[in-house]
Amino acid sequence: MPRDYRLINFNGEWQVCSKARRGHGERIVWIYGKERIYFCDVGRESAVYQLPGSEKENFFGDRFNFSIDEVYAEDGRRMERVGGMNNVVAAQRAFAELLSHHSKRTRLQLRQGGFVMRDEFGTDDYKERITAKSGADV
């Protein structure tokens, strides 16, 4: 592929982006699609715009890379979406904290798309931790 072209996935379709000159200042921009839609200036990361349709949900109905779900204990089907985020560290911490807030009969899963990273039952120790901390401070 020539240097001045890029391949992007837009609304589920692969499209070729190309460089074009725009305006009287002859600035160079990236464009895509038959309509030649402008989406960012070449060489300026701060000028990158959100592509239309990029907020679409994935196959699992998530808008985040990592999602936390409450699932049925018997078969692992999703019961309720509990949370989601794009940062793996924040997702791991949120998952650990949510385990402490759910009962031992509640099963939670941390997923990245279709890949299950963690699948655990709640610990229900939030009240015990708070009591221990407040008792230690006295």
Side-chain angles (χ1 to χ4, degrees), residues 19-118:
K19 292 180 180 178
R21 295 194 186 277
R22 284 278 167 97
H24 298 294
E26 293 295 321
R27 64 177 211 208
I28 300 173
V29 299
W30 284 105
I31 58 171
Y32 68 93
K34 291 179 253 178
E35 302 84 16
R36 298 179 51 86
I37 300 168
Y38 158 82
F39 71 94
C40 76
D41 289 344
V42 171
R44 293 190 187 165
E45 288 86 3
S46 62
V48 174
Y49 293 97
Q50 185 90 6
L51 287 174
S54 61
E55 68 281 348
K56 257 175 61 172
E57 294 179 346
N58 66 18
F59 178 78
F60 294 94
D62 301 322
R63 292 179 186 231
F64 298 100
N65 291 333
F66 304 95
S67 67
I68 302 170
D69 301 321
E70 183 177 341
V71 297
Y72 290 102
E74 307 82 43
D75 57 9
R77 286 182 301 121
R78 179 171 30 195
M79 181 186 313
E80 179 184 359
R81 182 177 301 130
V82 180
M85 54 214 56
N86 290 322
N87 182 296
V88 67
V89 175
Q92 291 277 9
R93 296 260 173 107
F95 185 80
E97 187 62 28
L98 284 168
L99 284 175
S100 71
H101 287 270
H102 284 81
S103 78
K104 295 176 183 180
R105 294 183 307 275
T106 305
R107 183 175 165 189
L108 297 178
Q109 280 185 348
L110 172 62
R111 290 184 299 99
Q112 180 181 18
F115 174 67
V116 177
M117 296 172 63
R118 292 176 68 180

